[in-house]
Amino acid sequence: MTILLMASAAMATTGVKQDADLEAGRRAYETSDYAKAIQALQAAAAKDPQNGDVHLLLAKSYLEMEQRDAAVKSAERAVAIDPRSSTYHEWLGRAYGEKADHAGPFPAIGLARRAGREFEAAVQLDEKNFSGRQALIEFDCSAPGFVGGGEEKALPHIQRLGELDAAEGHYAKGNCRRQKKDFAVADGEFTKSLESDPKSAELIFDIGDYAMKRSQPDMLLAVASAGERVAPNDPRGYFYRGVALLLKKENPAEAERLLREYAQKAPTRNGYPRPAAAHAWLGRLLENQNKPDDAAKEYETALKLEPKNKMAQEALKRLKKR
């Protein structure tokens, strides 16, 4: 009896340690410390190699670090552990897609085909995995037929999404038209999506990215309002509202406050505007106020954070010509 009790206590201690490593990995991921997250998650995986959620979070962390081969391996491991998980297949598709985007022409073909198959598997396993179906629709609308894409393949998925959730359906239509550069139709569908009570913060803020690139302040304000309702603690609402006010040339003090708050709070993560973008927009705000020296400092900060930031590069060239 004593031996059994000792064994049970040892197993419980191991489980607690594994859980502690997983939680440490999650906390580090949320604070954008991806190297620390990977270290903690590797420790968790060593103690519990059959925990698919550990490998999934590892894959996400590797993607943030642009370690695409490692991301693929971790996502493949998660799928091997639980082939019935729609989420695991979705993220394996995303990992294949990221690798394909940075591979040579011939390897990219095979990787793209794998990505498409994984998205299809995700939808087959769970038709209400909206993000997985959106990924499949985007793949079909953007990828050529020889890698398994094709807009005609996307149409029944768009229709089904619309039946399940109006906001998701309108977004899917808009995103497909965006891939085809049919921006007039995309504008209308994204507007309808925002008017249909969307529940996904990622959907909402992706429309924000689109509206920002197309300098559409009214849509940006709708994005900010929808985002604040769905995810009130998500700092992206600050960013897009600040950009909207700047574009409308209204309440510059509030625009500056929002953009600075975003720059301080924003995680460095895919799907979030980089803090450098906030500084670049702050530069534009100050430039509009005829404060070239202050504007230049913001543009320079943006370039320190993101050396290839085109908005800041072009703005500094413009300021030097004054």
Side-chain angles (χ1 to χ4, degrees):
M1 190 67 160
T2 302
I3 293 174
L4 288 175
L5 287 171
M6 290 173 63
S8 297
M11 290 176 65
T13 300
T14 300
V16 169
K17 178 60 177 172
Q18 187 274 327
D19 289 342
D21 288 330
L22 177 54
E23 286 307 310
R26 285 181 177 143
R27 288 195 300 271
Y29 180 87
E30 290 302 321
T31 59
S32 305
D33 191 345
Y34 301 113
K36 184 177 179 180
I38 289 168
Q39 184 179 22
L41 293 166
Q42 286 175 335
K47 296 180 180 69
D48 186 5
Q50 294 302 307
N51 189 325
D53 288 346
V54 171
H55 292 283
L56 175 63
L57 193 52
L58 264 171
K60 292 180 179 182
S61 299
Y62 282 128
L63 285 174
E64 295 293 345
M65 296 284 288
E66 298 185 350
Q67 296 179 24
R68 301 175 189 93
D69 288 339
V72 165
K73 288 180 181 178
S74 291
E76 286 177 337
R77 181 62 186 148
V79 168
I81 291 168
D82 185 1
R84 302 297 300 171
S85 169
S86 174
T87 300
Y88 293 173
H89 282 283
E90 175 191 346
W91 278 93
L92 178 54
R94 294 182 185 277
Y96 282 142
E98 281 292 311
K99 189 172 178 180
D101 287 344
H102 296 84
F106 293 112
I109 292 172
L111 288 164
R113 286 174 177 163
R114 291 183 191 179
R117 287 196 293 267
E118 292 301 325
F119 294 143
E120 288 172 356
V123 173
Q124 288 169 1
L125 288 165
D126 180 5
E127 75 163 4
K128 292 187 178 180
N129 179 349
F130 292 159
S131 62
R133 198 185 292 262
Q134 294 287 8
L136 176 58
I137 290 167
E138 183 168 328
F139 173 83
D140 285 337
C141 288
S142 60
F146 65 84
V147 298
E151 187 175 355
E152 70 286 348
K153 294 178 63 178
L155 297 179
H157 291 292
I158 293 173
Q159 180 178 348
R160 182 57 180 151
L161 260 185
E163 293 167 355
L164 293 168
D165 186 289
E168 294 278 348
H170 286 300
Y171 171 84
K173 289 180 185 178
N175 194 27
C176 193
R177 298 324 304 161
R178 167 169 58 179
Q179 307 304 320
K180 303 300 182 183
K181 301 189 185 303
D182 185 355
F183 298 122
V185 174
D187 287 350
E189 292 297 336
F190 286 150
T191 298
K192 290 176 183 177
S193 180
L194 292 171
E195 293 172 346
S196 300
D197 192 26
K199 300 171 183 64
S200 165
E202 298 309 314
L203 179 158
I204 293 166
F205 292 124
D206 185 60
I207 296 175
D209 184 67
Y210 170 87
M212 179 187 67
K213 289 175 179 176
R214 292 184 52 74
S215 298
Q216 297 173 324
D218 290 335
M219 187 180 289
L220 282 169
L221 288 174
V223 163
S225 295
E228 288 159 3
R229 175 180 54 77
V230 171
N233 295 322
D234 193 310
R236 286 175 288 187
Y238 304 148
F239 178 82
Y240 290 119
R241 188 176 295 280
V243 173
L245 292 174
L246 188 159
L247 291 173
K248 291 174 79 71
K249 296 184 178 180
E250 296 177 358
N251 202 342
E254 177 67 0
E256 181 173 356
R257 183 189 72 79
L258 290 167
L259 290 169
R260 291 200 185 281
E261 190 161 353
Y262 180 81
Q264 292 172 357
K265 291 184 175 180
T268 304
R269 185 169 306 145
N270 291 322
Y272 285 72
R274 300 293 183 183
H279 286 287
W281 282 103
L282 281 165
R284 181 166 166 180
L285 178 68
L286 293 165
E287 191 176 354
N288 289 347
Q289 295 174 335
N290 198 28
K291 298 177 180 178
D293 292 340
D294 292 336
K297 290 178 182 177
E298 294 296 339
Y299 292 136
E300 288 165 358
T301 298
L303 288 176
K304 286 179 182 177
L305 294 170
E306 186 182 353
K308 294 183 180 180
N309 186 294
K310 290 183 179 180
M311 182 177 177
Q313 288 175 339
E314 293 171 0
L316 282 174
K317 289 179 183 178
R318 183 173 62 249
L319 286 176
K320 288 178 181 178
K321 291 179 181 179
R322 284 191 172 190

